[in-house]
PDB file of all heavy atoms in Angstrom:
ATOM      1  N   VAL A 418     100.688  88.554 116.901  1.00  0.00           N
ATOM      2  CA  VAL A 418     100.520  90.007 116.838  1.00  0.00           C
ATOM      3  C   VAL A 418     101.340  90.738 117.900  1.00  0.00           C
ATOM      4  O   VAL A 418     101.522  91.939 117.821  1.00  0.00           O
ATOM      5  CB  VAL A 418      99.029  90.432 116.937  1.00  0.00           C
ATOM      6  CG1 VAL A 418      98.252  89.963 115.726  1.00  0.00           C
ATOM      7  CG2 VAL A 418      98.397  89.923 118.230  1.00  0.00           C
ATOM      8  N   TYR A 419     101.852  90.010 118.877  1.00  0.00           N
ATOM      9  CA  TYR A 419     102.684  90.623 119.902  1.00  0.00           C
ATOM     10  C   TYR A 419     104.174  90.532 119.585  1.00  0.00           C
ATOM     11  O   TYR A 419     104.999  91.039 120.338  1.00  0.00           O
ATOM     12  CB  TYR A 419     102.401  90.007 121.275  1.00  0.00           C
ATOM     13  CG  TYR A 419     101.064  90.447 121.814  1.00  0.00           C
ATOM     14  CD1 TYR A 419      99.956  89.617 121.728  1.00  0.00           C
ATOM     15  CD2 TYR A 419     100.902  91.704 122.379  1.00  0.00           C
ATOM     16  CE1 TYR A 419      98.718  90.028 122.212  1.00  0.00           C
ATOM     17  CE2 TYR A 419      99.675  92.128 122.856  1.00  0.00           C
ATOM     18  CZ  TYR A 419      98.589  91.281 122.772  1.00  0.00           C
ATOM     19  OH  TYR A 419      97.378  91.703 123.236  1.00  0.00           O
ATOM     20  N   ASP A 420     104.528  89.878 118.467  1.00  0.00           N
ATOM     21  CA  ASP A 420     105.934  89.833 118.071  1.00  0.00           C
ATOM     22  C   ASP A 420     106.427  91.248 117.797  1.00  0.00           C
ATOM     23  O   ASP A 420     105.721  92.058 117.191  1.00  0.00           O
ATOM     24  CB  ASP A 420     106.130  88.995 116.804  1.00  0.00           C
ATOM     25  CG  ASP A 420     106.050  87.498 117.064  1.00  0.00           C
ATOM     26  OD1 ASP A 420     106.092  87.095 118.241  1.00  0.00           O
ATOM     27  OD2 ASP A 420     105.934  86.745 116.081  1.00  0.00           O
ATOM     28  N   ILE A 421     107.636  91.534 118.231  1.00  0.00           N
ATOM     29  CA  ILE A 421     108.260  92.828 117.960  1.00  0.00           C
ATOM     30  C   ILE A 421     108.710  92.794 116.503  1.00  0.00           C
ATOM     31  O   ILE A 421     109.699  92.155 116.170  1.00  0.00           O
ATOM     32  CB  ILE A 421     109.458  93.082 118.910  1.00  0.00           C
ATOM     33  CG1 ILE A 421     109.019  92.994 120.376  1.00  0.00           C
ATOM     34  CG2 ILE A 421     110.119  94.423 118.603  1.00  0.00           C
ATOM     35  CD1 ILE A 421     107.936  93.980 120.777  1.00  0.00           C
ATOM     36  N   SER A 422     107.951  93.456 115.648  1.00  0.00           N
ATOM     37  CA  SER A 422     108.188  93.347 114.206  1.00  0.00           C
ATOM     38  C   SER A 422     108.448  94.687 113.519  1.00  0.00           C
ATOM     39  O   SER A 422     108.777  94.720 112.341  1.00  0.00           O
ATOM     40  CB  SER A 422     107.003  92.652 113.535  1.00  0.00           C
ATOM     41  OG  SER A 422     105.808  93.374 113.781  1.00  0.00           O
ATOM     42  N   ILE A 423     108.315  95.781 114.218  1.00  0.00           N
ATOM     43  CA  ILE A 423     108.504  97.103 113.621  1.00  0.00           C
ATOM     44  C   ILE A 423     109.730  97.758 114.254  1.00  0.00           C
ATOM     45  O   ILE A 423     109.709  98.153 115.426  1.00  0.00           O
ATOM     46  CB  ILE A 423     107.257  98.000 113.814  1.00  0.00           C
ATOM     47  CG1 ILE A 423     105.983  97.308 113.360  1.00  0.00           C
ATOM     48  CG2 ILE A 423     107.443  99.351 113.122  1.00  0.00           C
ATOM     49  CD1 ILE A 423     105.910  96.979 111.889  1.00  0.00           C
ATOM     50  N   TYR A 424     110.824  97.836 113.481  1.00  0.00           N
ATOM     51  CA  TYR A 424     112.060  98.499 113.903  1.00  0.00           C
ATOM     52  C   TYR A 424     112.606  97.999 115.247  1.00  0.00           C
ATOM     53  O   TYR A 424     113.230  98.751 115.984  1.00  0.00           O
ATOM     54  CB  TYR A 424     111.890 100.023 113.928  1.00  0.00           C
ATOM     55  CG  TYR A 424     111.520 100.582 112.594  1.00  0.00           C
ATOM     56  CD1 TYR A 424     110.304 101.215 112.382  1.00  0.00           C
ATOM     57  CD2 TYR A 424     112.381 100.450 111.503  1.00  0.00           C
ATOM     58  CE1 TYR A 424     109.967 101.714 111.130  1.00  0.00           C
ATOM     59  CE2 TYR A 424     112.043 100.941 110.255  1.00  0.00           C
ATOM     60  CZ  TYR A 424     110.830 101.567 110.079  1.00  0.00           C
ATOM     61  OH  TYR A 424     110.494 102.054 108.850  1.00  0.00           O
ATOM     62  N   GLY A 425     112.324  96.762 115.565  1.00  0.00           N
ATOM     63  CA  GLY A 425     112.868  96.181 116.792  1.00  0.00           C
ATOM     64  C   GLY A 425     112.212  96.658 118.066  1.00  0.00           C
ATOM     65  O   GLY A 425     112.660  96.319 119.157  1.00  0.00           O
ATOM     66  N   VAL A 426     111.125  97.452 117.967  1.00  0.00           N
ATOM     67  CA  VAL A 426     110.443  97.946 119.165  1.00  0.00           C
ATOM     68  C   VAL A 426     108.917  97.822 119.092  1.00  0.00           C
ATOM     69  O   VAL A 426     108.272  97.746 120.132  1.00  0.00           O
ATOM     70  CB  VAL A 426     110.800  99.428 119.491  1.00  0.00           C
ATOM     71  CG1 VAL A 426     112.256  99.582 119.850  1.00  0.00           C
ATOM     72  CG2 VAL A 426     110.416 100.348 118.373  1.00  0.00           C
ATOM     73  N   GLY A 427     108.338  97.830 117.906  1.00  0.00           N
ATOM     74  CA  GLY A 427     106.890  97.910 117.772  1.00  0.00           C
ATOM     75  C   GLY A 427     106.212  96.593 117.474  1.00  0.00           C
ATOM     76  O   GLY A 427     106.769  95.727 116.813  1.00  0.00           O
ATOM     77  N   SER A 428     104.978  96.470 117.974  1.00  0.00           N
ATOM     78  CA  SER A 428     104.136  95.309 117.671  1.00  0.00           C
ATOM     79  C   SER A 428     102.731  95.782 117.332  1.00  0.00           C
ATOM     80  O   SER A 428     102.300  96.854 117.757  1.00  0.00           O
ATOM     81  CB  SER A 428     104.099  94.341 118.852  1.00  0.00           C
ATOM     82  OG  SER A 428     103.429  94.924 119.960  1.00  0.00           O
ATOM     83  N   ILE A 429     102.019  94.965 116.589  1.00  0.00           N
ATOM     84  CA  ILE A 429     100.649  95.304 116.187  1.00  0.00           C
ATOM     85  C   ILE A 429      99.695  95.159 117.362  1.00  0.00           C
ATOM     86  O   ILE A 429      98.800  95.962 117.550  1.00  0.00           O
ATOM     87  CB  ILE A 429     100.188  94.420 115.006  1.00  0.00           C
ATOM     88  CG1 ILE A 429     101.126  94.596 113.806  1.00  0.00           C
ATOM     89  CG2 ILE A 429      98.742  94.724 114.622  1.00  0.00           C
ATOM     90  CD1 ILE A 429     101.321  96.018 113.341  1.00  0.00           C
ATOM     91  N   GLY A 430      99.879  94.136 118.167  1.00  0.00           N
ATOM     92  CA  GLY A 430      99.000  93.912 119.305  1.00  0.00           C
ATOM     93  C   GLY A 430      97.680  93.301 118.886  1.00  0.00           C
ATOM     94  O   GLY A 430      97.386  93.137 117.699  1.00  0.00           O
ATOM     95  N   ASP A 431      96.886  92.950 119.861  1.00  0.00           N
ATOM     96  CA  ASP A 431      95.615  92.282 119.648  1.00  0.00           C
ATOM     97  C   ASP A 431      94.502  93.228 120.082  1.00  0.00           C
ATOM     98  O   ASP A 431      94.502  93.698 121.218  1.00  0.00           O
ATOM     99  CB  ASP A 431      95.589  90.995 120.482  1.00  0.00           C
ATOM    100  CG  ASP A 431      94.402  90.117 120.172  1.00  0.00           C
ATOM    101  OD1 ASP A 431      93.815  90.266 119.085  1.00  0.00           O
ATOM    102  OD2 ASP A 431      94.062  89.270 121.025  1.00  0.00           O
ATOM    103  N   GLY A 432      93.596  93.540 119.172  1.00  0.00           N
ATOM    104  CA  GLY A 432      92.511  94.438 119.535  1.00  0.00           C
ATOM    105  C   GLY A 432      91.664  94.842 118.348  1.00  0.00           C
ATOM    106  O   GLY A 432      91.673  94.181 117.309  1.00  0.00           O
TER     107      GLY A 432
END
Side-chain angles (χ1 to χ4, degrees):
V418 294
Y419 288 100
D420 284 347
I421 303 301
S422 58
I423 308 296
Y424 300 116
V426 295
S428 67
I429 301 306
D431 189 21

